[in-house]
Amino acid sequence: MMEFTVLKTKVKISPLFFAVLTAFLISDRNGIAPVVIGFSLVHELCHFAALAAIKTAPQEVNVSAAGISMSLNGGMSTVKKILVLAAGATGNFVLAAFFSAADNRLFFTVNLIIGIFTILPLCSTDGGSILTEFAEKFFPERAERICRNIFLFCGATAAVILAAAVVINKNPYLLIALFYAVICLLKY
Protein backbone atom coordinates (compact mmCIF):
# COMPACT_ATOMS: atom_id res chain seq x y z
CA MET A 1 0.00 0.00 0.00
CA MET A 2 1.40 3.37 -1.03
CA GLU A 3 0.52 6.23 1.31
CA PHE A 4 1.21 9.94 0.99
CA THR A 5 -0.43 13.27 1.77
CA VAL A 6 -1.60 15.89 -0.73
CA LEU A 7 -2.85 19.22 0.62
CA LYS A 8 -3.81 17.72 4.02
CA THR A 9 -5.60 14.78 2.37
CA LYS A 10 -4.21 11.34 3.08
CA VAL A 11 -4.02 9.25 -0.12
CA LYS A 12 -3.76 5.44 -0.07
CA ILE A 13 -3.19 3.47 -3.27
CA SER A 14 -3.40 -0.31 -3.33
CA PRO A 15 -1.21 -2.25 -5.78
CA LEU A 16 -4.35 -4.26 -6.62
CA PHE A 17 -5.75 -1.14 -8.28
CA PHE A 18 -2.96 -1.31 -10.84
CA ALA A 19 -3.52 -5.06 -11.30
CA VAL A 20 -7.22 -4.52 -12.07
CA LEU A 21 -6.42 -1.56 -14.34
CA THR A 22 -3.82 -3.63 -16.22
CA ALA A 23 -6.21 -6.57 -16.62
CA PHE A 24 -8.87 -4.19 -17.93
CA LEU A 25 -6.49 -2.67 -20.47
CA ILE A 26 -5.12 -6.06 -21.57
CA SER A 27 -8.59 -7.55 -22.05
CA ASP A 28 -9.75 -4.55 -24.08
CA ARG A 29 -10.37 -5.84 -27.61
CA ASN A 30 -12.38 -2.86 -28.87
CA GLY A 31 -10.21 0.02 -27.70
CA ILE A 32 -12.94 1.29 -25.38
CA ALA A 33 -10.96 0.95 -22.12
CA PRO A 34 -9.29 4.39 -22.39
CA VAL A 35 -12.73 5.95 -22.92
CA VAL A 36 -14.18 4.21 -19.85
CA ILE A 37 -11.13 5.08 -17.75
CA GLY A 38 -11.18 8.69 -18.97
CA PHE A 39 -14.84 9.27 -18.15
CA SER A 40 -14.44 7.44 -14.83
CA LEU A 41 -11.68 9.92 -14.04
CA VAL A 42 -13.98 12.79 -15.03
CA HIS A 43 -16.57 11.31 -12.64
CA GLU A 44 -14.05 11.46 -9.77
CA LEU A 45 -12.92 14.96 -10.74
CA CYS A 46 -16.54 16.12 -10.47
CA HIS A 47 -16.52 15.02 -6.81
CA PHE A 48 -13.36 17.06 -6.22
CA ALA A 49 -14.87 20.06 -8.06
CA ALA A 50 -17.90 19.90 -5.76
CA LEU A 51 -15.60 19.75 -2.73
CA ALA A 52 -13.67 22.77 -4.05
CA ALA A 53 -16.95 24.65 -4.60
CA ILE A 54 -17.85 24.22 -0.93
CA LYS A 55 -14.26 25.00 0.07
CA THR A 56 -13.37 21.71 1.73
CA ALA A 57 -11.26 18.65 1.03
CA PRO A 58 -11.67 14.95 1.75
CA GLN A 59 -9.92 13.61 4.84
CA GLU A 60 -8.75 10.55 2.95
CA VAL A 61 -8.79 9.14 -0.59
CA ASN A 62 -8.50 5.37 -1.09
CA VAL A 63 -7.66 3.92 -4.48
CA SER A 64 -8.28 0.16 -4.38
CA ALA A 65 -9.19 -2.73 -6.65
CA ALA A 66 -12.83 -1.79 -6.03
CA GLY A 67 -12.31 1.79 -7.24
CA ILE A 68 -11.82 5.17 -5.64
CA SER A 69 -13.48 6.21 -2.40
CA MET A 70 -13.07 9.18 -0.12
CA SER A 71 -13.79 9.96 3.51
CA LEU A 72 -15.59 13.26 3.75
CA ASN A 73 -15.16 15.75 6.57
CA GLY A 74 -17.18 14.68 9.59
CA GLY A 75 -18.30 18.29 10.13
CA MET A 76 -19.99 18.55 6.71
CA SER A 77 -23.75 18.85 6.67
CA THR A 78 -25.81 16.02 5.20
CA VAL A 79 -26.87 18.25 2.30
CA LYS A 80 -23.26 19.10 1.41
CA LYS A 81 -22.21 15.45 1.61
CA ILE A 82 -25.07 14.42 -0.68
CA LEU A 83 -24.20 17.19 -3.16
CA VAL A 84 -20.57 16.03 -3.26
CA LEU A 85 -21.61 12.38 -3.61
CA ALA A 86 -24.08 13.17 -6.41
CA ALA A 87 -21.59 15.37 -8.30
CA GLY A 88 -19.87 12.45 -10.05
CA ALA A 89 -23.02 10.96 -11.57
CA THR A 90 -24.34 14.44 -12.34
CA GLY A 91 -21.17 15.16 -14.33
CA ASN A 92 -21.61 11.92 -16.28
CA PHE A 93 -25.28 12.69 -17.00
CA VAL A 94 -24.39 16.20 -18.23
CA LEU A 95 -21.71 14.72 -20.50
CA ALA A 96 -24.15 12.04 -21.71
CA ALA A 97 -26.62 14.77 -22.70
CA PHE A 98 -23.87 16.72 -24.46
CA PHE A 99 -22.62 13.66 -26.39
CA SER A 100 -26.18 12.67 -27.24
CA ALA A 101 -26.70 16.09 -28.82
CA ALA A 102 -23.33 15.72 -30.59
CA ASP A 103 -24.46 12.28 -31.85
CA ASN A 104 -21.47 10.48 -30.30
CA ARG A 105 -23.08 7.18 -29.28
CA LEU A 106 -19.98 5.69 -27.62
CA PHE A 107 -19.29 8.66 -25.33
CA PHE A 108 -23.02 9.04 -24.62
CA THR A 109 -23.38 5.37 -23.66
CA VAL A 110 -20.25 5.22 -21.51
CA ASN A 111 -21.26 8.33 -19.53
CA LEU A 112 -24.84 7.14 -19.15
CA ILE A 113 -23.75 3.72 -17.85
CA ILE A 114 -21.20 5.19 -15.43
CA GLY A 115 -23.79 7.70 -14.16
CA ILE A 116 -26.54 5.12 -13.70
CA PHE A 117 -24.36 2.49 -12.08
CA THR A 118 -22.69 4.86 -9.62
CA ILE A 119 -26.00 6.30 -8.46
CA LEU A 120 -27.49 2.85 -7.74
CA PRO A 121 -27.95 2.19 -4.02
CA LEU A 122 -25.18 -0.39 -3.68
CA CYS A 123 -22.90 -0.31 -0.65
CA SER A 124 -19.79 0.51 -2.68
CA THR A 125 -21.25 3.28 -4.87
CA ASP A 126 -22.09 6.95 -4.51
CA GLY A 127 -25.77 5.99 -4.46
CA GLY A 128 -25.12 3.68 -1.52
CA SER A 129 -23.37 6.48 0.34
CA ILE A 130 -26.27 8.83 -0.39
CA LEU A 131 -28.74 6.21 0.91
CA THR A 132 -26.63 5.82 4.06
CA GLU A 133 -26.60 9.60 4.63
CA PHE A 134 -30.41 9.78 4.29
CA ALA A 135 -30.99 6.74 6.49
CA GLU A 136 -28.68 8.03 9.23
CA LYS A 137 -30.32 11.46 9.11
CA PHE A 138 -33.97 10.36 9.15
CA PHE A 139 -33.88 6.87 10.71
CA PRO A 140 -30.77 6.82 12.91
CA GLU A 141 -31.83 3.83 15.02
CA ARG A 142 -32.76 1.71 11.97
CA ALA A 143 -30.29 3.07 9.41
CA GLU A 144 -27.98 0.05 9.40
CA ARG A 145 -30.82 -2.45 8.89
CA ILE A 146 -32.51 -0.33 6.21
CA CYS A 147 -29.27 0.10 4.26
CA ARG A 148 -28.32 -3.56 4.61
CA ASN A 149 -31.68 -4.72 3.22
CA ILE A 150 -31.60 -2.27 0.31
CA PHE A 151 -27.95 -3.08 -0.45
CA LEU A 152 -28.68 -6.82 -0.46
CA PHE A 153 -31.75 -6.46 -2.68
CA CYS A 154 -30.10 -4.07 -5.15
CA GLY A 155 -26.81 -5.99 -5.11
CA ALA A 156 -28.51 -9.32 -5.83
CA THR A 157 -30.70 -7.78 -8.53
CA ALA A 158 -27.75 -6.02 -10.17
CA ALA A 159 -25.60 -9.18 -9.99
CA VAL A 160 -28.26 -11.31 -11.70
CA ILE A 161 -28.96 -8.72 -14.42
CA LEU A 162 -25.26 -8.06 -15.04
CA ALA A 163 -24.35 -11.76 -15.10
CA ALA A 164 -27.09 -12.34 -17.68
CA ALA A 165 -25.89 -9.33 -19.69
CA VAL A 166 -22.29 -10.61 -19.65
CA VAL A 167 -23.42 -14.01 -20.95
CA ILE A 168 -25.86 -12.66 -23.54
CA ASN A 169 -23.75 -9.75 -24.82
CA LYS A 170 -20.35 -11.37 -24.28
CA ASN A 171 -19.25 -7.94 -23.09
CA PRO A 172 -16.23 -8.05 -20.74
CA TYR A 173 -16.78 -4.45 -19.62
CA LEU A 174 -19.90 -5.47 -17.76
CA LEU A 175 -17.69 -7.69 -15.58
CA ILE A 176 -16.49 -4.54 -13.80
CA ALA A 177 -20.03 -3.61 -12.77
CA LEU A 178 -20.71 -7.25 -11.85
CA PHE A 179 -17.56 -7.19 -9.69
CA TYR A 180 -18.93 -4.19 -7.75
CA ALA A 181 -22.34 -5.81 -7.29
CA VAL A 182 -20.73 -8.98 -5.93
CA ILE A 183 -18.51 -6.94 -3.59
CA CYS A 184 -21.65 -5.33 -2.21
CA LEU A 185 -23.23 -8.73 -1.60
CA LEU A 186 -20.08 -10.07 0.08
CA LYS A 187 -19.98 -7.12 2.50
CA TYR A 188 -23.37 -8.17 3.85
Side-chain angles (χ1 to χ4, degrees):
M1 178 79 64
M2 295 186 312
E3 293 185 28
F4 52 93
T5 303
V6 177
L7 302 173
K8 297 182 183 178
T9 299
K10 188 177 201 174
V11 178
K12 295 180 180 180
I13 303 176
S14 167
L16 290 176
F17 169 76
F18 297 108
V20 170
L21 186 62
T22 301
F24 183 52
L25 289 167
I26 289 172
S27 67
D28 181 30
R29 293 185 215 131
N30 303 330
I32 194 172
V35 174
V36 173
I37 292 167
F39 286 122
S40 295
L41 181 60
V42 169
H43 173 96
E44 298 304 330
L45 291 174
C46 288
H47 290 301
F48 285 104
L51 284 166
I54 60 173
K55 296 177 177 43
T56 191
Q59 294 172 321
E60 186 174 281
V61 174
N62 290 304
V63 182
S64 69
I68 300 172
S69 64
M70 64 178 84
S71 301
L72 298 176
N73 186 338
M76 284 177 69
S77 70
T78 300
V79 171
K80 286 183 179 179
K81 283 183 184 178
I82 290 171
L83 288 173
V84 169
L85 291 165
T90 302
N92 289 118
F93 291 139
V94 168
L95 286 172
F98 173 79
F99 288 119
S100 175
D103 203 29
N104 187 322
R105 296 180 89 185
L106 173 62
F107 288 5
F108 162 76
T109 303
V110 168
N111 277 290
L112 186 64
I113 289 171
I114 292 170
I116 289 171
F117 186 77
T118 59
I119 209 69
L120 288 176
L122 300 171
C123 62
S124 58
T125 64
D126 297 332
S129 297
I130 291 169
L131 172 67
T132 301
E133 286 296 322
F134 272 121
E136 288 175 354
K137 177 77 172 174
F138 296 109
F139 309 103
E141 63 284 340
R142 297 179 305 177
E144 187 177 332
R145 187 169 43 103
I146 290 169
C147 291
R148 182 182 63 246
N149 291 339
I150 292 172
F151 291 159
L152 284 171
F153 173 77
C154 291
T157 303
V160 169
I161 290 170
L162 289 166
V166 166
V167 170
I168 291 168
N169 293 328
K170 297 178 179 78
N171 186 336
Y173 305 111
L174 294 174
L175 288 172
I176 296 169
L178 178 58
F179 174 71
Y180 282 111
V182 170
I183 286 174
C184 187
L185 286 173
L186 293 176
K187 284 186 177 180
Y188 290 93

